Amino acid sequence: MWLVLILVGIAMIVFGVLVEAAQLLIWLGVILAAVSVVLWIVRNVARAGKGV
């Protein structure tokens, strides 16, 4: 699930770069990718902390 969100974020960044007028898409992609990575890290740390 997290990998899909990260890939969608990267795709939005690439698409935004290809479309000059799509500055909003670039920022949305960056935000989505960053949030996805942070949530993935937090989830892994929480899982590791529980010893699962």
Side-chain angles (χ1 to χ4, degrees), residues 19-49:
V19 180
E20 292 178 10
Q23 191 71 22
L24 180 61
L25 273 182
I26 295 173
W27 285 111
L28 286 176
V30 169
I31 292 168
L32 179 61
V35 168
S36 300
V37 169
V38 168
L39 289 176
W40 177 70
I41 291 171
V42 167
R43 185 173 181 158
N44 283 342
V45 169
R47 186 181 306 164

